[in-house]
Amino acid sequence: MNILAIESSCDETAVAIVRDGREVLADCIASQAEMHEIYGGVVPEIASRKHIEAISALAEEALRRASLSRKDLDAVAVTYAPGLIGALLVGVNFAKAAAYALGLPLIPVHHVRGHIAANYIAYPELQPPFVCLCVSGGTSLIVDVRSYTEMEILGATRDDAAGECFDKIARVLGLGYPGGGPMDRMAQGGDDTRFVLPRVHMQDAPMDLSFSGLKTATLNLIHNLQQKGEEVPRSDLAASFSAAVSDMLIPRVMEAAKRLQYGKVAVVGGVAANSRIRRDLEKACQKSGNELYLPPLSLCGDNGAMIGSQAYYEYLAGKRGNSTLNAYANRDISLG
Ligand code: KG4
């Protein structure tokens, strides 16, 4: 089954063609990061316009790269939630039009379910159940992936997402947007014990996360140093910040793994590219005897292939969209 998959939830326009959920025939991405860098973050209206400009040509390019024609397609899939509403609507409307014009089924896909499915592409043998940490610019979740289409949130951020914090601190440090990658590189060789930053724990919900305190404490620290005319030791700060984020994420994921006893832990989303988080997880999983699934960096960020993969399993479970399909800025992952 060849699925044409569309992703436009944030600042990447992506179109992929995926066969039977696991084989990527084409994966085309047009990133808008350069455009948004000027403003230090994603400008939703600009994102929508850029998606409109890119999407048709990208779909043609995906077909060309896969050496397929339109009649070789069996379904059209699209990210319909969560994300920037205007950006999502571009993909949803393109997918609706394509499905209608080609007489194909339409499959709506939840963006975070897509991120989780990046693992199915990277690890052809992987099957649910497993525990998945989803950490991106807009999401920080610990998910119980019971089956391909049944999922429950075990812990979620109550405020900022981890990637959002990396981006905000990076911006103040003059590292550009998106800042997670540059922060990660800056942290290499830095002293992660130089600054003691808060690790938040919520008594009533031990699996939940909160990054706003860490973000504020780090920003205050930087501003204080700047006000005193002192140089900000960027490498040590980036290392200390990365350590704090990792210390909040890893123990919670491992606690979930202990409770559920699946023996499998996966990590997805742009922040899964972080070397400190990857290293700490590898150690924790080795110690606890869990198999760790870390998709390659190319599959960690937003892409169309992950949407095409999840779409296949949604299709098998009977999920279909029609011409009334809408986009949603927020939607619980358990609802699909
Ligand atoms: O999954 P993604 O591409 O888009 C969203 O759906 O949000 O994630 C982008 C996020 C950005 O916040 C970016 O700064 C962060 O992932 N990121 C990183 C790293 N690479 C990307 N954060 C920390 N360390 C990295 N190496």
Side-chain angles (χ1 to χ4, degrees):
M1 180 176 190
N2 294 328
I3 299 181
L4 179 77
I6 317 287
E7 155 65 40
S8 69
S9 64
C10 191
D11 59 346
E12 256 106 25
T13 323
V15 182
I17 299 173
V18 181
R19 182 170 288 164
D20 297 337
R22 303 261 177 173
E23 189 188 347
V24 180
L25 305 183
D27 190 12
C28 303
I29 302 179
S31 175
Q32 309 171 359
E34 243 174 61
M35 172 62 65
H36 299 290
E37 191 176 3
I38 307 167
Y39 305 97
V42 178
V43 183
E45 183 59 23
I46 293 177
S48 311
R49 285 163 193 257
K50 287 281 153 197
H51 286 312
I52 294 170
E53 285 170 21
I55 201 159
S56 301
L58 220 53
E60 291 298 340
E61 177 65 12
L63 282 168
R64 197 189 61 76
R65 285 198 202 167
S67 304
L68 296 178
S69 74
R70 293 177 192 188
K71 67 176 179 355
D72 298 314
L73 298 173
D74 300 298
V76 179
V78 64
T79 304
Y80 78 112
L84 301 172
I85 195 71
L88 285 166
L89 279 168
V90 175
V92 166
N93 283 308
F94 181 86
K96 281 204 274 194
Y100 180 72
L102 300 172
L104 297 175
L106 178 66
I107 313 168
V109 177
H110 189 285
H111 180 72
V112 184
R113 286 187 174 212
H115 270 306
I116 292 170
N119 284 291
Y120 305 139
I121 299 167
Y123 301 98
E125 79 288 0
L126 175 66
Q127 288 180 7
F130 55 90
V131 170
C132 192
L133 171 65
C134 309
V135 268
S136 70
T139 318
S140 296
L141 295 175
I142 298 164
V143 184
D144 174 5
V145 185
R146 290 196 193 124
S147 77
Y148 288 108
T149 52
E150 286 166 280
M151 298 168 208
E152 192 194 335
I153 295 174
L154 302 171
T157 180
R158 295 201 174 178
D159 37 61
D160 296 350
E164 201 179 340
C165 288
F166 269 107
D167 292 338
K168 285 183 178 152
I169 303 301
R171 187 178 169 182
V172 176
L173 292 178
L175 296 174
Y177 172 84
M183 276 274 278
D184 196 3
R185 286 189 286 281
M186 180 66 67
Q188 304 305 317
D191 177 1
D192 63 359
T193 59
R194 168 105 181 245
F195 298 104
V196 181
L197 297 167
R199 276 87 163 142
V200 176
H201 179 81
M202 261 124 350
Q203 215 77 50
D204 58 329
M207 289 287 198
D208 273 357
L209 297 148
S210 167
F211 292 103
S212 70
L214 170 63
K215 180 188 71 184
T216 308
T218 312
L219 290 176
N220 285 344
L221 193 99
I222 297 168
H223 290 148
N224 279 340
L225 287 168
Q226 285 169 340
Q227 277 162 7
K228 283 191 252 166
E230 288 176 27
E231 202 186 316
V232 179
R234 297 197 301 175
S235 185
D236 292 348
L237 193 91
S240 302
F241 180 80
S242 305
V245 173
S246 185
D247 283 352
M248 284 209 275
L249 295 172
I250 287 33
R252 286 170 172 82
V253 185
M254 298 322 295
E255 175 59 26
K258 195 170 145 195
R259 276 194 211 168
L260 293 167
Q261 290 291 313
Y262 295 147
K264 289 182 265 186
V265 173
V267 193
V268 295
V271 183
N274 185 269
S275 55
R276 172 67 190 245
I277 294 171
R278 291 172 92 89
R279 210 167 48 239
D280 287 354
L281 261 168
E282 272 160 14
K283 270 192 237 158
C285 283
Q286 218 166 30
K287 203 169 147 200
S288 59
N290 280 283
E291 192 73 42
L292 177 62
Y293 298 88
L294 272 173
L297 301 189
S298 58
L299 284 169
C300 281
D302 288 351
N303 63 84
M306 67 187 200
I307 302 302
S309 174
Q310 180 62 23
Y312 177 69
Y313 297 102
E314 299 287 355
Y315 180 84
L316 294 182
K319 191 167 182 190
R320 303 287 184 276
N322 59 30
S323 60
T324 65
L325 177 68
N326 206 348
Y328 300 90
N330 293 303
R331 189 166 169 85
D332 195 307
I333 193 174
S334 61
L335 301 172

mmCIF file of all heavy atoms in Angstrom, residues 162-197:
data_model
loop_
_atom_site.group_PDB
_atom_site.id
_atom_site.type_symbol
_atom_site.label_atom_id
_atom_site.label_comp_id
_atom_site.label_asym_id
_atom_site.label_seq_id
_atom_site.Cartn_x
_atom_site.Cartn_y
_atom_site.Cartn_z
ATOM 1 N N ALA A 162 10.160 20.970 26.122
ATOM 2 C CA ALA A 162 11.617 20.978 26.306
ATOM 3 C C ALA A 162 12.316 21.733 25.166
ATOM 4 O O ALA A 162 13.204 22.559 25.402
ATOM 5 C CB ALA A 162 12.130 19.546 26.397
ATOM 6 N N GLY A 163 11.887 21.473 23.930
ATOM 7 C CA GLY A 163 12.526 22.111 22.773
ATOM 8 C C GLY A 163 12.346 23.618 22.780
ATOM 9 O O GLY A 163 13.259 24.378 22.431
ATOM 10 N N GLU A 164 11.164 24.030 23.222
ATOM 11 C CA GLU A 164 10.855 25.455 23.319
ATOM 12 C C GLU A 164 11.857 26.142 24.263
ATOM 13 O O GLU A 164 12.331 27.247 23.993
ATOM 14 C CB GLU A 164 9.443 25.527 23.916
ATOM 15 C CG GLU A 164 8.674 26.760 23.714
ATOM 16 C CD GLU A 164 7.289 26.594 24.386
ATOM 17 O OE1 GLU A 164 6.833 25.454 24.644
ATOM 18 O OE2 GLU A 164 6.681 27.635 24.665
ATOM 19 N N CYS A 165 12.185 25.460 25.363
ATOM 20 C CA CYS A 165 13.137 26.021 26.330
ATOM 21 C C CYS A 165 14.532 26.101 25.734
ATOM 22 O O CYS A 165 15.229 27.107 25.891
ATOM 23 C CB CYS A 165 13.176 25.178 27.598
ATOM 24 S SG CYS A 165 11.712 25.380 28.544
ATOM 25 N N PHE A 166 14.942 25.021 25.052
ATOM 26 C CA PHE A 166 16.245 25.059 24.381
ATOM 27 C C PHE A 166 16.285 26.270 23.450
ATOM 28 O O PHE A 166 17.263 27.012 23.406
ATOM 29 C CB PHE A 166 16.469 23.772 23.564
ATOM 30 C CG PHE A 166 17.162 22.678 24.338
ATOM 31 C CD1 PHE A 166 16.462 21.554 24.777
ATOM 32 C CD2 PHE A 166 18.518 22.763 24.621
ATOM 33 C CE1 PHE A 166 17.102 20.547 25.488
ATOM 34 C CE2 PHE A 166 19.166 21.760 25.326
ATOM 35 C CZ PHE A 166 18.451 20.648 25.765
ATOM 36 N N ASP A 167 15.196 26.469 22.694
ATOM 37 C CA ASP A 167 15.159 27.569 21.720
ATOM 38 C C ASP A 167 15.239 28.930 22.401
ATOM 39 O O ASP A 167 15.917 29.836 21.920
ATOM 40 C CB ASP A 167 13.875 27.480 20.872
ATOM 41 C CG ASP A 167 13.882 26.271 19.959
ATOM 42 O OD1 ASP A 167 14.980 25.759 19.667
ATOM 43 O OD2 ASP A 167 12.796 25.835 19.542
ATOM 44 N N LYS A 168 14.534 29.072 23.534
ATOM 45 C CA LYS A 168 14.510 30.382 24.195
ATOM 46 C C LYS A 168 15.864 30.713 24.824
ATOM 47 O O LYS A 168 16.318 31.852 24.759
ATOM 48 C CB LYS A 168 13.388 30.423 25.233
ATOM 49 C CG LYS A 168 12.044 30.569 24.518
ATOM 50 C CD LYS A 168 10.875 30.697 25.439
ATOM 51 C CE LYS A 168 9.615 30.873 24.604
ATOM 52 N NZ LYS A 168 8.420 30.380 25.270
ATOM 53 N N ILE A 169 16.482 29.728 25.441
ATOM 54 C CA ILE A 169 17.797 29.983 26.057
ATOM 55 C C ILE A 169 18.820 30.260 24.948
ATOM 56 O O ILE A 169 19.646 31.177 25.049
ATOM 57 C CB ILE A 169 18.256 28.773 26.926
ATOM 58 C CG1 ILE A 169 17.207 28.455 28.004
ATOM 59 C CG2 ILE A 169 19.623 29.037 27.553
ATOM 60 C CD1 ILE A 169 16.888 29.547 28.970
ATOM 61 N N ALA A 170 18.739 29.472 23.886
ATOM 62 C CA ALA A 170 19.681 29.642 22.765
ATOM 63 C C ALA A 170 19.563 31.048 22.183
ATOM 64 O O ALA A 170 20.562 31.670 21.823
ATOM 65 C CB ALA A 170 19.393 28.602 21.688
ATOM 66 N N ARG A 171 18.363 31.533 22.136
ATOM 67 C CA ARG A 171 18.134 32.871 21.565
ATOM 68 C C ARG A 171 18.858 33.939 22.391
ATOM 69 O O ARG A 171 19.521 34.819 21.853
ATOM 70 C CB ARG A 171 16.624 33.129 21.554
ATOM 71 C CG ARG A 171 16.247 34.381 20.855
ATOM 72 C CD ARG A 171 14.757 34.520 20.857
ATOM 73 N NE ARG A 171 14.373 35.845 20.425
ATOM 74 C CZ ARG A 171 13.124 36.252 20.363
ATOM 75 N NH1 ARG A 171 12.145 35.450 20.697
ATOM 76 N NH2 ARG A 171 12.846 37.460 19.973
ATOM 77 N N VAL A 172 18.734 33.808 23.726
ATOM 78 C CA VAL A 172 19.384 34.779 24.611
ATOM 79 C C VAL A 172 20.907 34.645 24.535
ATOM 80 O O VAL A 172 21.647 35.623 24.689
ATOM 81 C CB VAL A 172 18.870 34.593 26.065
ATOM 82 C CG1 VAL A 172 19.578 35.509 27.028
ATOM 83 C CG2 VAL A 172 17.376 34.865 26.113
ATOM 84 N N LEU A 173 21.370 33.423 24.258
ATOM 85 C CA LEU A 173 22.813 33.218 24.139
ATOM 86 C C LEU A 173 23.329 33.583 22.739
ATOM 87 O O LEU A 173 24.498 33.412 22.436
ATOM 88 C CB LEU A 173 23.174 31.755 24.449
ATOM 89 C CG LEU A 173 22.986 31.275 25.894
ATOM 90 C CD1 LEU A 173 23.333 29.794 26.007
ATOM 91 C CD2 LEU A 173 23.850 32.091 26.855
ATOM 92 N N GLY A 174 22.403 34.042 21.878
ATOM 93 C CA GLY A 174 22.805 34.460 20.529
ATOM 94 C C GLY A 174 23.119 33.303 19.610
ATOM 95 O O GLY A 174 23.971 33.416 18.719
ATOM 96 N N LEU A 175 22.447 32.162 19.828
ATOM 97 C CA LEU A 175 22.771 30.979 19.025
ATOM 98 C C LEU A 175 21.800 30.746 17.867
ATOM 99 O O LEU A 175 21.867 29.719 17.193
ATOM 100 C CB LEU A 175 22.801 29.725 19.926
ATOM 101 C CG LEU A 175 23.890 29.724 21.004
ATOM 102 C CD1 LEU A 175 23.740 28.517 21.914
ATOM 103 C CD2 LEU A 175 25.267 29.738 20.378
ATOM 104 N N GLY A 176 20.869 31.667 17.641
ATOM 105 C CA GLY A 176 19.959 31.544 16.495
ATOM 106 C C GLY A 176 18.792 30.610 16.743
ATOM 107 O O GLY A 176 18.621 30.067 17.839
ATOM 108 N N TYR A 177 17.994 30.418 15.705
ATOM 109 C CA TYR A 177 16.804 29.576 15.792
ATOM 110 C C TYR A 177 16.813 28.541 14.666
ATOM 111 O O TYR A 177 17.148 28.899 13.541
ATOM 112 C CB TYR A 177 15.528 30.434 15.694
ATOM 113 C CG TYR A 177 14.292 29.587 15.584
ATOM 114 C CD1 TYR A 177 13.681 29.086 16.723
ATOM 115 C CD2 TYR A 177 13.803 29.232 14.326
ATOM 116 C CE1 TYR A 177 12.577 28.261 16.607
ATOM 117 C CE2 TYR A 177 12.713 28.398 14.218
ATOM 118 C CZ TYR A 177 12.101 27.919 15.357
ATOM 119 O OH TYR A 177 11.038 27.088 15.250
ATOM 120 N N PRO A 178 16.389 27.292 14.892
ATOM 121 C CA PRO A 178 16.100 26.706 16.202
ATOM 122 C C PRO A 178 17.389 26.454 16.975
ATOM 123 O O PRO A 178 18.398 26.083 16.389
ATOM 124 C CB PRO A 178 15.392 25.393 15.843
ATOM 125 C CG PRO A 178 15.848 25.053 14.464
ATOM 126 C CD PRO A 178 16.227 26.328 13.790
ATOM 127 N N GLY A 179 17.323 26.628 18.287
ATOM 128 C CA GLY A 179 18.547 26.674 19.074
ATOM 129 C C GLY A 179 18.995 25.371 19.700
ATOM 130 O O GLY A 179 20.089 25.304 20.280
ATOM 131 N N GLY A 180 18.159 24.327 19.634
ATOM 132 C CA GLY A 180 18.512 23.070 20.301
ATOM 133 C C GLY A 180 19.824 22.476 19.807
ATOM 134 O O GLY A 180 20.679 22.098 20.619
ATOM 135 N N GLY A 181 19.974 22.404 18.502
ATOM 136 C CA GLY A 181 21.209 21.837 17.910
ATOM 137 C C GLY A 181 22.443 22.644 18.303
ATOM 138 O O GLY A 181 23.403 22.080 18.862
ATOM 139 N N PRO A 182 22.428 23.975 18.080
ATOM 140 C CA PRO A 182 23.574 24.789 18.479
ATOM 141 C C PRO A 182 23.865 24.719 19.986
ATOM 142 O O PRO A 182 25.030 24.701 20.399
ATOM 143 C CB PRO A 182 23.172 26.216 18.083
ATOM 144 C CG PRO A 182 22.156 26.036 17.015
ATOM 145 C CD PRO A 182 21.457 24.746 17.283
ATOM 146 N N MET A 183 22.814 24.637 20.817
ATOM 147 C CA MET A 183 23.015 24.516 22.274
ATOM 148 C C MET A 183 23.736 23.209 22.581
ATOM 149 O O MET A 183 24.615 23.140 23.433
ATOM 150 C CB MET A 183 21.659 24.491 22.999
ATOM 151 C CG MET A 183 21.078 25.854 23.274
ATOM 152 S SD MET A 183 21.698 26.558 24.801
ATOM 153 C CE MET A 183 20.654 25.771 26.000
ATOM 154 N N ASP A 184 23.322 22.167 21.879
ATOM 155 C CA ASP A 184 23.916 20.846 22.069
ATOM 156 C C ASP A 184 25.415 20.893 21.730
ATOM 157 O O ASP A 184 26.262 20.413 22.497
ATOM 158 C CB ASP A 184 23.182 19.868 21.127
ATOM 159 C CG ASP A 184 23.423 18.413 21.481
ATOM 160 O OD1 ASP A 184 24.113 18.164 22.490
ATOM 161 O OD2 ASP A 184 22.925 17.533 20.762
ATOM 162 N N ARG A 185 25.726 21.528 20.617
ATOM 163 C CA ARG A 185 27.142 21.622 20.204
ATOM 164 C C ARG A 185 27.924 22.492 21.191
ATOM 165 O O ARG A 185 29.047 22.185 21.558
ATOM 166 C CB ARG A 185 27.231 22.195 18.786
ATOM 167 C CG ARG A 185 26.801 21.174 17.727
ATOM 168 C CD ARG A 185 27.101 21.653 16.324
ATOM 169 N NE ARG A 185 26.184 22.691 15.879
ATOM 170 C CZ ARG A 185 24.942 22.462 15.435
ATOM 171 N NH1 ARG A 185 24.494 21.217 15.375
ATOM 172 N NH2 ARG A 185 24.169 23.450 15.049
ATOM 173 N N MET A 186 27.284 23.560 21.649
ATOM 174 C CA MET A 186 27.922 24.470 22.607
ATOM 175 C C MET A 186 28.210 23.745 23.935
ATOM 176 O O MET A 186 29.178 24.052 24.629
ATOM 177 C CB MET A 186 26.960 25.653 22.827
ATOM 178 C CG MET A 186 27.366 26.727 23.772
ATOM 179 S SD MET A 186 28.784 27.684 23.275
ATOM 180 C CE MET A 186 28.297 28.573 21.856
ATOM 181 N N ALA A 187 27.341 22.774 24.267
ATOM 182 C CA ALA A 187 27.493 22.061 25.550
ATOM 183 C C ALA A 187 28.673 21.081 25.543
ATOM 184 O O ALA A 187 29.153 20.685 26.612
ATOM 185 C CB ALA A 187 26.202 21.305 25.865
ATOM 186 N N GLN A 188 29.122 20.712 24.354
ATOM 187 C CA GLN A 188 30.211 19.740 24.267
ATOM 188 C C GLN A 188 31.457 20.305 24.964
ATOM 189 O O GLN A 188 31.897 21.410 24.653
ATOM 190 C CB GLN A 188 30.565 19.398 22.800
ATOM 191 C CG GLN A 188 29.411 18.902 21.966
ATOM 192 C CD GLN A 188 28.685 17.700 22.573
ATOM 193 O OE1 GLN A 188 29.313 16.770 23.076
ATOM 194 N NE2 GLN A 188 27.370 17.741 22.544
ATOM 195 N N GLY A 189 31.982 19.566 25.902
ATOM 196 C CA GLY A 189 33.190 20.009 26.602
ATOM 197 C C GLY A 189 32.897 20.985 27.732
ATOM 198 O O GLY A 189 33.810 21.390 28.462
ATOM 199 N N GLY A 190 31.627 21.401 27.883
ATOM 200 C CA GLY A 190 31.273 22.330 28.957
ATOM 201 C C GLY A 190 31.159 21.596 30.295
ATOM 202 O O GLY A 190 30.959 20.375 30.324
ATOM 203 N N ASP A 191 31.256 22.364 31.383
ATOM 204 C CA ASP A 191 31.153 21.786 32.725
ATOM 205 C C ASP A 191 29.669 21.787 33.144
ATOM 206 O O ASP A 191 29.108 22.844 33.433
ATOM 207 C CB ASP A 191 31.997 22.637 33.689
ATOM 208 C CG ASP A 191 31.894 22.158 35.129
ATOM 209 O OD1 ASP A 191 31.191 21.149 35.391
ATOM 210 O OD2 ASP A 191 32.508 22.803 36.009
ATOM 211 N N ASP A 192 29.080 20.597 33.210
ATOM 212 C CA ASP A 192 27.638 20.518 33.497
ATOM 213 C C ASP A 192 27.310 20.699 34.972
ATOM 214 O O ASP A 192 26.146 20.677 35.369
ATOM 215 C CB ASP A 192 27.050 19.200 32.960
ATOM 216 C CG ASP A 192 27.636 17.982 33.629
ATOM 217 O OD1 ASP A 192 28.517 18.137 34.501
ATOM 218 O OD2 ASP A 192 27.220 16.861 33.279
ATOM 219 N N THR A 193 28.357 20.857 35.801
ATOM 220 C CA THR A 193 28.107 21.075 37.235
ATOM 221 C C THR A 193 28.354 22.543 37.629
ATOM 222 O O THR A 193 28.190 22.914 38.783
ATOM 223 C CB THR A 193 29.021 20.174 38.097
ATOM 224 O OG1 THR A 193 30.383 20.497 37.781
ATOM 225 C CG2 THR A 193 28.785 18.695 37.836
ATOM 226 N N ARG A 194 28.752 23.349 36.672
ATOM 227 C CA ARG A 194 29.118 24.746 36.984
ATOM 228 C C ARG A 194 27.923 25.539 37.531
ATOM 229 O O ARG A 194 28.061 26.335 38.451
ATOM 230 C CB ARG A 194 29.657 25.390 35.706
ATOM 231 C CG ARG A 194 29.827 26.889 35.766
ATOM 232 C CD ARG A 194 31.283 27.263 35.889
ATOM 233 N NE ARG A 194 31.479 28.695 35.969
ATOM 234 C CZ ARG A 194 32.100 29.408 35.056
ATOM 235 N NH1 ARG A 194 32.580 28.808 33.970
ATOM 236 N NH2 ARG A 194 32.268 30.693 35.209
ATOM 237 N N PHE A 195 26.747 25.313 36.943
ATOM 238 C CA PHE A 195 25.552 26.038 37.408
ATOM 239 C C PHE A 195 24.514 25.047 37.936
ATOM 240 O O PHE A 195 24.214 24.047 37.272
ATOM 241 C CB PHE A 195 24.937 26.848 36.271
ATOM 242 C CG PHE A 195 25.867 27.893 35.738
ATOM 243 C CD1 PHE A 195 26.522 27.701 34.535
ATOM 244 C CD2 PHE A 195 26.109 29.060 36.459
ATOM 245 C CE1 PHE A 195 27.402 28.663 34.049
ATOM 246 C CE2 PHE A 195 26.992 30.020 35.984
ATOM 247 C CZ PHE A 195 27.643 29.819 34.775
ATOM 248 N N VAL A 196 24.013 25.332 39.125
ATOM 249 C CA VAL A 196 22.999 24.453 39.701
ATOM 250 C C VAL A 196 21.626 24.992 39.297
ATOM 251 O O VAL A 196 21.204 26.055 39.750
ATOM 252 C CB VAL A 196 23.126 24.399 41.245
ATOM 253 C CG1 VAL A 196 22.083 23.456 41.828
ATOM 254 C CG2 VAL A 196 24.530 23.939 41.626
ATOM 255 N N LEU A 197 20.969 24.273 38.414
ATOM 256 C CA LEU A 197 19.674 24.721 37.889
ATOM 257 C C LEU A 197 18.561 23.827 38.425
ATOM 258 O O LEU A 197 18.799 22.652 38.725
ATOM 259 C CB LEU A 197 19.712 24.698 36.355
ATOM 260 C CG LEU A 197 20.736 25.660 35.735
ATOM 261 C CD1 LEU A 197 20.947 25.374 34.263
ATOM 262 C CD2 LEU A 197 20.299 27.103 35.950
#
